[in-house]
Amino acid sequence: QLQLQESGPGLLKPSEALSLTCTVSGGSITSDSYYWGWVRQPPGKGLEWIATIYYTGATYITVPLRGRVTMSIDTSKNQFSLRLNYVTAADTATYYCASHPSGDVRRGAFDFWGQGTMVTVSS
Amino acid sequence: EIQMTQSPSSLSASVGDRVTITCRASQSVGTSLHWYLQKPGTAPKLLIYAVSNLQGEISSRFSATGSGTDFTLTISNLQPEDSAYYYCQQAYGTSTFGQGTKVEIK
């Protein structure tokens, strides 16, 4: 059973870069059985998928955030990361890391989630 | 980008009722349509994947159907623990979520 845990700064100033890390346990980040992703939720609002990465490095990013988002994998630490550049107050949200199985039927269905980490952007 | 529209945005029903939530996609998403439940302060939980498949130990009171652009989630015999937000998600192209439906128990 996979377990995911986010870590990050908590508070940022506008125009700074947000870096979040998700540590995976119970499975390998290099497994071809999973994709690794990020989903965020502004306070009191709904879910927004941000991006997903596969162990090959193939990355998929939501259209509104392309140009500001990159993802990466650190195989030595069994972690994957999100970087969001030039943050504004609109990026204030709880950020979740999550995983979904590879394969057609369960494509995109996030079945393991971290507990979430709150990120506030404020001057 | 495929847009997902859920309705209603909220509903209130009694214990034992049957409730239905609908999700409409702006274009066909095939069978890449999933449903989640989220309770306040917790991470979302996968309920149903690929339109109609119950995830893990999810109660059989939950069922779902649909195809192409129109999908429904039904909760039968509504229970107090079903009080939550429900989200649909398409994963046909780059993924998007519906705006959510708040289910309250009267």
Side-chain angles (χ1 to χ4, degrees):
Chain A
Q1 174 129 334
L2 289 176
Q3 292 185 306
L4 290 78
Q5 178 66 58
E6 306 89 349
S7 56
L11 179 64
L12 287 170
K13 291 182 168 53
S15 80
E16 291 184 334
L18 168 63
S19 290
L20 294 173
T21 297
C22 184
T23 301
V24 177
S25 57
S28 173
I29 198 83
T30 59
S31 169
D32 64 359
S33 298
Y34 299 103
Y35 283 76
W36 312 100
W38 291 94
V39 175
R40 70 180 181 179
Q41 185 170 38
K45 296 188 178 180
L47 302 170
E48 179 185 19
W49 172 74
I50 300 172
T52 295
I53 192 167
Y54 196 43
Y55 79 101
T56 57
T59 306
Y60 312 86
I61 303 170
T62 189
V63 170
L65 295 178
R66 284 179 193 168
R68 289 206 294 142
V69 164
T70 56
M71 283 191 72
S72 60
I73 287 178
D74 186 335
T75 58
S76 67
K77 296 180 180 178
N78 219 40
Q79 295 175 335
F80 63 100
S81 298
L82 173 76
R83 181 179 175 92
L84 176 64
N85 293 324
Y86 306 110
V87 298
T88 70
D91 297 310
T92 293
T94 296
Y95 286 74
Y96 296 97
C97 61
S99 66
H100 70 78
S102 59
D104 287 343
V105 175
R106 292 174 181 262
R107 176 181 174 185
F110 289 108
D111 54 357
F112 290 100
W113 293 72
Q115 65 186 25
T117 185
M118 180 66 196
V119 174
T120 301
V121 180
S122 175
S123 56
Chain B
E1 190 174 70
I2 299 174
Q3 304 300 316
M4 306 301 292
T5 303
Q6 271 184 249
S7 61
S9 56
S10 66
L11 66 89
S12 181
S14 300
V15 171
D17 283 354
R18 179 178 178 175
V19 301
T20 298
I21 299 167
T22 65
C23 183
R24 174 165 288 177
S26 59
Q27 65 187 72
S28 177
V29 298
T31 58
S32 292
L33 191 286
H34 317 302
W35 291 94
Y36 299 82
L37 167 159
Q38 185 183 31
K39 297 189 177 182
T42 69
K45 180 179 182 179
L46 181 64
L47 280 177
I48 287 172
Y49 64 92
V51 179
S52 59
N53 298 278
L54 280 176
Q55 169 70 7
E57 298 179 358
I58 298 300
S59 169
S60 59
R61 296 185 296 101
F62 292 90
S63 62
T65 187
S67 64
T69 60
D70 294 303
F71 303 88
T72 61
L73 172 70
T74 298
I75 311 172
S76 301
N77 187 21
L78 193 69
Q79 296 298 303
E81 61 266 29
D82 300 333
S83 178
Y85 287 85
Y86 292 82
Y87 295 92
C88 63
Q89 176 215 12
Q90 69 79 19
Y92 182 77
T94 53
S95 184
T96 47
F97 286 90
Q99 76 272 28
T101 296
K102 182 179 182 180
V103 173
E104 292 181 308
I105 309 299
K106 286 180 183 174

